Amino acid sequence: MSLVTTRPEPGTARPYAFPAVRRVTAHGGTVIAAHLPGQVLATAVLLLDASAAREAAGREGTATVLAKCLEEGTRQRDSAAYALALEGLGAELVPSVDWDAFRVGVSAPAPRLAGAVRLAAEAARTPKLDPADVSRVRDDEVTALRMDWAQPGPRADAALRGDLFAADGRYSRPLHGDPTSVAAVTVDDVLAFHQQWMLRPGVLLVAGDLDGLDLAELAEAAFAGTTGQALDLDAPLGLAVPERPHVILVDRPGSVQSTLRIGHRAPERATPDYVPMTLAATVLGGAFTSRLNHLIREVKGYTYGIRGSYAMTRRAGRFEVAAGVQTAVTGPAIRDTLGEIRRTQQDGVTEAELAVARSWRAGQLSVEMQTPGAIAGALASLVVHGLPDDYYETLRREYLEATVEQVSAAAGRYLAVDGLTLVVEGDGATIREELAEFGELTEATV
């Protein structure tokens, strides 16, 4: 008996279509739902305007501590009873926070989704927030951050963010805070953050087979008992890029590698140039076949991997290149990286490179949009960034139809090699002198 089989041939490619979007306004909030026929497992996400950007100075990390407290019980049931209630529905709770929103996600079989949403709303609106639990969660978060910040990377990330957004308050500090700011978070800080930002209705995002779901019932489960109106959206922070490069050394004595974080400000996510910018960044550093990875990894052997991309939120964005290189080649690695950025900015991209980037981005979009959780995340992007309901219907086509001229123009407009901030975390005694070649040098205190 042979175990050898014939390898199956690929089937005919099917056109991708984002699911139809439905909206219901009830009980003071809005439900935005995507219909996935036959999908028994459904996902719902309560989207609240209680992002990390709402945190007070010196208390960065408050929202993250709150998110991790939501499974510590509610006013109605302790942590064990709450966990059993979730388990009885086959549900999983996933709270998180980012620059744009506080998200309380829950996944469950579609017939039980209304009950799961009630539990998610219970955790979001009426968490127990016992002082002992909050203190323990905060201390655990401080311990985790201290371990993380002992590794290369977080200090460099913080230095880059601090330089790019120095005039923009909360945006100049790490998303989840740092060990010092989180250690300063008090129980009263967490209670006050919850009271101020978590009690408005928000938006409920739903992805699953909607035929068996009552969206009005889900609205009642998510929004009952809430008060207040949606908050006005703040304007984008603006695109301020300096005229000269700036170098920041984050000293890590004895380090055998240099951690590079190189970047500048970029537009917010809703920019009309999102597609050509993304494709330009893909050619430069966003895929294994990119210019940067080919030169810095494959040709020169300076690093195991290097990436370059745009990261965009509702109010701001940034272009960033990240890599870890051997200490001995810090200068050459930076020089070659800047050369590739300059070449892309000045000369644009080729048709061959763009063909690979188009195919990869369009294919990635189709692959990513396969689960209810991914679809709910896409719905969140529509809400947070003010995008139209048919946005994903057209996005894949825009990737595939983008021209060399459009992508090259975006590279020229949104890459600014002469305005980069270069953060290098490494052995200052070894690399300090050679860094002066790349711009005015300062030393970070993070």
Side-chain angles (χ1 to χ4, degrees):
M1 179 177 176
S2 174
L3 297 179
V4 178
T5 61
T6 302
R7 183 185 298 273
E9 296 295 325
T12 303
R14 292 176 295 175
Y16 173 77
F18 192 79
V21 176
R22 304 178 189 174
R23 289 176 179 257
V24 170
T25 299
H27 300 280
T30 300
V31 178
I32 302 177
H35 183 39
L36 305 175
Q39 179 58 255
V40 177
L41 182 69
T43 294
V45 178
L46 186 58
L47 194 68
L48 301 172
D49 194 348
S51 69
R54 302 290 187 188
E55 294 170 333
R59 297 293 191 273
E60 297 83 7
T62 300
T64 298
V65 173
L66 174 58
K68 294 186 176 184
C69 285
L70 293 193
E71 291 185 273
E72 298 295 326
T74 69
R75 296 174 198 165
Q76 292 86 351
R77 34 190 137 207
D78 63 21
S79 58
Y82 186 78
L84 286 172
L86 282 172
E87 185 177 341
L89 296 174
E92 179 184 10
L93 190 76
V94 183
S96 64
V97 64
D98 58 29
W99 287 112
D100 298 318
F102 195 113
R103 306 175 193 222
V104 185
V106 65
S107 296
R112 299 180 178 181
L113 188 62
V117 169
R118 286 191 179 90
L119 287 175
E122 181 181 318
R125 315 300 190 180
T126 60
K128 186 176 182 181
L129 297 182
D130 179 86
D133 291 336
V134 175
S135 297
R136 173 176 48 79
V137 169
R138 176 205 59 206
D139 292 346
D140 287 348
E141 181 68 7
V142 171
T143 299
L145 283 171
R146 285 174 177 162
M147 294 174 63
D148 189 38
W149 281 60
Q151 305 301 315
R155 293 171 66 206
D157 292 333
L160 179 60
R161 174 166 290 280
D163 191 68
L164 298 187
F165 299 99
D168 296 303
R170 178 64 184 90
Y171 288 89
S172 68
R173 298 180 289 276
L175 172 60
H176 299 294
D178 57 41
T180 300
S181 71
V182 176
V185 172
T186 66
V187 174
D188 287 342
D189 292 329
V190 175
L191 290 169
F193 187 92
H194 178 269
Q195 184 67 29
Q196 185 169 6
W197 305 113
M198 297 285 288
L199 302 182
R200 291 176 175 82
V203 175
L204 183 70
L205 312 168
V206 179
D209 190 331
L210 303 184
D211 288 342
L213 294 175
D214 184 336
L215 297 187
E217 181 187 11
L218 293 177
E220 187 276 333
F223 308 133
T226 59
T227 60
Q229 301 296 317
L231 299 166
D232 292 334
L233 298 181
D234 294 321
L237 296 178
L239 188 59
V241 177
E243 297 181 355
R244 292 184 295 277
H246 178 206
V247 184
I248 301 174
L249 171 63
V250 180
D251 194 14
R252 190 177 182 85
S255 179
V256 298
Q257 74 170 20
S258 294
T259 299
L260 309 182
R261 297 292 187 268
I262 302 173
H264 59 63
R265 296 270 288 260
E268 65 281 2
R269 173 63 177 80
T271 174
D273 290 322
Y274 174 78
V275 166
M277 288 174 65
T278 299
L279 289 170
T282 302
V283 170
L284 174 61
F288 190 81
T289 57
S290 70
R291 290 178 174 182
L292 285 174
N293 203 61
H294 176 72
L295 177 62
I296 306 302
R297 172 188 157 121
E298 299 298 312
V299 176
K300 298 299 181 75
Y302 293 157
T303 182
Y304 184 76
I306 184 171
R307 68 183 187 275
S309 62
Y310 289 100
M312 301 172 178
T313 67
R314 181 167 63 196
R315 299 191 63 201
R318 68 175 179 179
F319 167 74
E320 180 183 10
V321 172
V325 303
Q326 304 165 53
T327 296
V329 297
T330 300
I334 294 174
R335 195 175 302 115
D336 288 342
T337 296
L338 298 181
E340 286 300 285
I341 298 172
R342 187 179 300 279
R343 179 165 76 94
T344 306
Q345 178 188 354
Q346 294 181 345
D347 301 337
V349 303
T350 68
E351 177 58 42
E353 292 172 318
L354 182 55
V356 174
R358 287 192 201 104
S359 177
W360 188 74
R361 282 293 175 185
Q364 182 189 45
L365 180 67
S366 301
V367 170
E368 287 178 347
M369 297 293 183
Q370 295 297 316
T371 66
I375 298 297
L379 294 178
S381 292
L382 300 184
V383 175
V384 167
H385 304 296
L387 304 172
D389 284 355
D390 66 351
Y391 178 76
Y392 288 100
E393 287 290 328
T394 61
L395 180 58
R396 187 174 187 275
R397 185 178 70 249
E398 289 181 5
Y399 276 136
L400 293 173
E401 295 178 354
T403 67
V404 167
E405 291 75 20
Q406 290 169 330
V407 175
S408 296
R413 188 178 305 120
Y414 296 110
L415 291 176
V417 68
D418 292 326
L420 286 164
T421 295
L422 291 75
V423 178
V424 184
E425 181 180 0
D427 185 1
T430 303
I431 64 177
R432 184 177 285 105
E433 289 187 8
E434 65 182 323
L435 293 182
E437 168 191 343
F438 303 106
E440 180 184 356
L441 177 65
T442 60
E443 297 204 24
T445 57
V446 294

